[in-house]
């Protein structure tokens, strides 16, 4: 079952795209270093943990970064204007609590605000707020006070979220996209006992803004095979037709067939299915018509890399209350371990 304390460390550590050094990078290094032969941080900030072997070179990527906000302007009365880092929907910001990261390990609180509906025009009440209407209230009464609190142009902001259990098998948290995959990356390294592969566990940066870390790290590693681990949409909620749900919580790891960034190598897809059946690991197949993962960058590296991907079904992606099922997480770890143990059988 899921290691709750490790998962808590991983999801609650800060690190929006480009600022992974604020917390999550150190957590990854500390938790994975005892299960590999060497760990390094490359020039873009990717953590590359190498478990040496004589077999095929395999890269497994999960991205460290989370979506968030960046301060673009400080108003005279101390309110902060912000821009999104990654795919942030402005309607998810109103009346939410935030952490404004004024330094590594140091934050102040903020609240997402907009014009109260009571004083809006009737037609405006029906509209979702846009970025011109959003601000962050940190309690400052002036620009000078905000600056004294440590805020500057370029300061980054995350939701104030935490990990909690939800029912018998599920969790709710900030940043499951993609910290749940970082957890799987670490657990795979922990549980991997016997493989002939030369394995590179890579915690990538800046996935949410263009798969950037996966592109540069894959170029340097030059893998024979690539795998990405990420979340995918579980739209198994009231009002969504079954054919549009993509995946369902509790039905197992999702073996990706296609998304907007990649068509996974058909041989790898079939091979992962066969492994899941052989070892009785619950799985489902995923076709995601919107969105992408690090697989999209890995498979286009150099002359091309045969690439597959596993996804963890998640509800309410890109919010401060994402939901996953621990049975899907466990299935993802098991299938990734079995893939590495049997990688010598894969022939492409």
């Amino acid at each position: 079952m899921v290691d709750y304390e490790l998962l808590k460390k991983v999801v609650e550590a800060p690190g929006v795209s480009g600022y992974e050094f604020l917390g999550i990078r150190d957590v990854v290094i500390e938790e994975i270093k005892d299960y590999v032969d060497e760990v390094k941080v490359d020039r873009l900030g990717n953590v590359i943990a190498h478990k040496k072997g004589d077999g095929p070179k395999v890269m497994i990527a999960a991205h460290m970064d989370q979506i968030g906000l960046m301060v673009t302007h400080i108003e005279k009365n101390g309110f902060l204007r912000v821009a999104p880092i990654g795919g942030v929907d402005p309607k998810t910001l109103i009346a939410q609590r935030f952490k404004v990261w004024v330094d590594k390990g140091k934050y102040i609180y903020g609240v997402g605000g907009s014009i109260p509906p009571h004083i809006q025009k009737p037609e405006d009440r029906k509209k979702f707020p846009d970025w011109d209407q959003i601000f962050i209230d940190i309690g400052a009464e002036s620009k000078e006070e905000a600056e004294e609190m440590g805020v500057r142009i370029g300061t980054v902001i995350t939701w104030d979220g935490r990990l909690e259990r939800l029912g018998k098998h599920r969790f709710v948290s900030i940043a499951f996209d993609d910290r749940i995959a970082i957890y799987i990356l670490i657990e795979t390294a922990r549980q991997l006992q016997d493989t002939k592969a030369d394995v590179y566990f890579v915690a990538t940066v800046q996935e949410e803004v263009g798969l950037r870390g996966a592109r540069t790290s894959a170029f340097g590693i030059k893998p024979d095979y690539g795998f990405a681990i990420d979340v995918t949409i579980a739209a198994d909620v009231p009002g969504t037709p079954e054919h549009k749900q993509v995946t369902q919580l509790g039905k197992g790891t999702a073996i990706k067939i296609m998304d907007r960034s990649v068509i996974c190598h058909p041989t790898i897809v079939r091979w992962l299915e066969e492994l899941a059946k052989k070892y009785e690991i619950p799985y489902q197949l995923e076709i995601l018509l919107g969105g992408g993962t690090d697989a999209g960058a890995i498979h286009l590296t150099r002359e091309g890399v045969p690439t597959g991907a596993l996804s963890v079904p998640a509800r309410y992606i890109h919010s401060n209350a994402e939901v996953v099922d621990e049975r899907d997480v466990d299935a993802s770890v098991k299938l990734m371990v079995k893939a590495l143990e049997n990688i010598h059988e894969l022939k492409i």
Side-chain angles (χ1 to χ4, degrees), residues 88-116:
V88 182
D89 187 338
K91 68 174 176 287
T92 63
L93 306 179
I94 303 302
Q96 297 294 315
R97 298 186 184 195
F98 292 90
K99 290 180 177 179
V100 181
W101 294 92
V102 296
D103 204 347
K104 183 174 181 179
K106 183 180 179 181
Y107 61 86
I108 58 177
Y109 285 107
V111 177
S114 68
I115 299 173

Side-chain angles (χ1 to χ4, degrees), residues 207-272:
E207 188 270 356
E208 295 287 1
V209 291
L211 318 182
R212 297 172 185 175
R215 181 171 292 107
T216 59
S217 56
F219 188 91
I221 293 168
K222 196 178 179 181
D224 297 307
Y225 301 111
F227 294 90
I229 311 171
D230 211 319
V231 296
T232 190
I233 291 172
D236 55 342
V237 296
T240 306
E242 185 176 355
H243 71 282
K244 291 187 176 181
Q245 292 181 5
V246 185
T247 62
Q248 298 179 2
L249 260 61
K251 301 298 183 182
T253 186
I255 299 172
K256 186 183 293 290
I257 296 175
M258 180 184 76
D259 63 28
R260 192 175 60 190
S261 69
V262 66
I263 298 174
C264 291
H265 199 292
T267 300
I268 293 180
V269 173
R270 290 193 298 269
W271 175 70
L272 289 172

